[in-house]
Amino acid sequence: MASHNIQTKRDFVKVLQYVAEGDTVTTPANYGAAITDPTFITVGKVTDINLQPDIQHSDTDVLGNEDVIDAVKTMENYTFTVSFELTGIALIDYAFSASGGGAGSIDESLTFMFSEYLDGVENFTAMYGCRPTTCTVNLDRGVWNATMTFICKNITLPSATSPWNGQTPVHSSETSTATLTHTDAGADPFTWNSVAYPESRFSTTVTRGMAVQAVNGTAQIIYCKASTRRIDFSVDAFVKAVTLETDMLAKTERSAGYSISTSPNDDFAFTDCVITSYSRQKTASNADGFRESITARAGGVSIT
């Protein structure tokens, strides 16, 4: 058996990067449209990319034959998931921001691209008409990590010819900006009802429902836009009072916040929060401080 040139992480050439397609709620015709001479922005310190094309077909099963005699393609659905260490909040804000915000919000669709060596030749992949459907951001006394899933109009097959061949795109390189860590948030980054609670773990997830326009006559979707927003977060806090448990029992709505960074000053601001689950465990063998864990549903969120 002959050997061949296998692919590793060193074969990535142009890191995952994106450019805005503009407010495609206001101007739907620009959704998924190719951008001339784009200037790209680096996603962050990417640790994982998972492309998920879902190409559907219909089998032909007829009388007089025991076998399936044909298969015809009917639909093309595209999504991808990326995990990365945060160096800023610009990309995750596309997921968390409310609809109606225009540029820089969920209203603005994105084009992504990266390149990689396949058998020693640089190949380009582009993703057009991308909007985030989920985003999870977490911190566990280390670095800020994010995982985002995007729905796309199209993900191209890797090609040695760049989609911007003959143009002058400005590609970004691996960022030299340091990954955000828990110390960037300053002291007591978590607040519940404007009261600080010391904690050791934080995670928040936003899920965006998408209204998708898929029509007869074309295999790909031709448009999508956000229709719903659901937010939750969870915290492991050191026990200091009975407030969190009391609010869970009463289902009292509160505000909450979590500082991402103090320079620049970026904070999650949650509104109308209801604690949906609560637990506290006290173990004799635990030499650390006792903690209480909550999960809360937020009515709204912004990054300020």
Side-chain angles (χ1 to χ4, degrees):
M1 180 179 293
S3 60
H4 66 279
N5 190 352
I6 61 173
Q7 190 183 48
T8 71
K9 68 177 185 177
R10 293 182 56 219
D11 291 302
F12 267 76
V13 185
K14 292 178 176 61
V15 297
L16 185 66
Q17 48 201 273
Y18 67 96
V19 63
E21 296 175 352
D23 182 347
T24 49
V25 172
T26 302
T27 312
N30 291 340
Y31 175 75
I35 299 170
T36 303
D37 298 327
T39 298
F40 289 95
I41 303 168
T42 302
V43 165
K45 298 182 185 296
V46 175
T47 57
D48 184 83
I49 304 173
N50 185 10
L51 306 181
Q52 299 149 338
D54 178 18
I55 311 303
Q56 299 182 26
H57 73 277
S58 177
D59 287 332
T60 302
D61 190 10
V62 298
L63 296 174
N65 197 316
E66 66 177 352
D67 299 322
V68 172
I69 64 169
D70 196 10
V72 291
K73 185 172 74 172
T74 56
M75 285 185 287
E76 300 177 16
N77 298 315
Y78 296 96
T79 62
F80 75 94
T81 299
V82 56
S83 297
F84 56 99
E85 295 179 358
L86 283 185
T87 56
I89 56 90
L91 185 57
I92 65 170
D93 204 22
Y94 281 101
F96 282 95
S97 61
S99 296
S105 77
I106 190 74
D107 296 352
E108 190 167 50
S109 56
L110 306 173
T111 292
F112 286 82
M113 70 79 58
F114 66 91
S115 71
E116 60 192 324
Y117 284 127
L118 294 175
D119 199 22
V121 177
E122 184 177 11
N123 277 250
F124 298 81
T125 298
M127 304 84 137
Y128 298 104
C130 304
R131 294 196 204 272
T133 55
T134 65
C135 178
T136 296
V137 181
N138 60 75
L139 179 67
D140 192 357
R141 291 208 79 246
V143 301
W144 282 97
N145 288 288
T147 297
M148 301 181 71
T149 297
F150 291 84
I151 186 173
C152 315
K153 181 178 182 180
N154 184 29
I155 299 178
T156 65
L157 196 68
S159 171
T161 301
S162 166
W164 298 276
N165 185 44
Q167 301 179 29
T168 55
V170 179
H171 290 289
S172 59
S173 55
E174 184 66 75
T175 178
S176 59
T177 304
T179 300
L180 293 172
T181 72
H182 69 98
T183 58
D184 290 306
D188 294 327
F190 173 65
T191 60
W192 177 264
N193 196 29
S194 301
V195 177
Y197 284 79
E199 45 71 47
S200 59
R201 185 193 64 84
F202 171 80
S203 178
T204 181
T205 296
V206 61
T207 302
R208 307 304 297 251
M210 286 289 162
V212 175
Q213 191 174 14
V215 300
N216 288 333
T218 179
Q220 300 172 1
I221 67 171
I222 63 171
Y223 186 67
C224 74
K225 71 176 183 179
S227 56
T228 61
R229 181 173 67 152
R230 299 292 181 266
I231 312 118
D232 62 57
F233 64 87
S234 59
V235 179
D236 292 344
F238 289 91
V239 177
K240 63 179 286 186
V242 297
T243 303
L244 296 178
E245 187 172 4
T246 300
D247 284 351
M248 186 277 296
L249 293 172
K251 294 300 177 182
T252 304
E253 286 190 336
R254 304 288 193 188
S255 63
Y258 203 100
S259 175
I260 304 169
S261 169
T262 57
S263 181
N265 189 20
D266 293 320
D267 307 293
F268 283 113
F270 301 98
T271 59
D272 301 326
C273 305
V274 174
I275 297 176
T276 56
S277 68
Y278 174 91
S279 66
R280 54 187 170 95
Q281 183 178 12
K282 305 180 189 297
T283 305
S285 60
N286 183 9
D288 205 351
F290 292 149
R291 294 172 176 82
E292 53 188 346
S293 300
I294 66 166
T295 297
R297 184 272 299 152
V301 64
S302 60
I303 302 177
T304 58

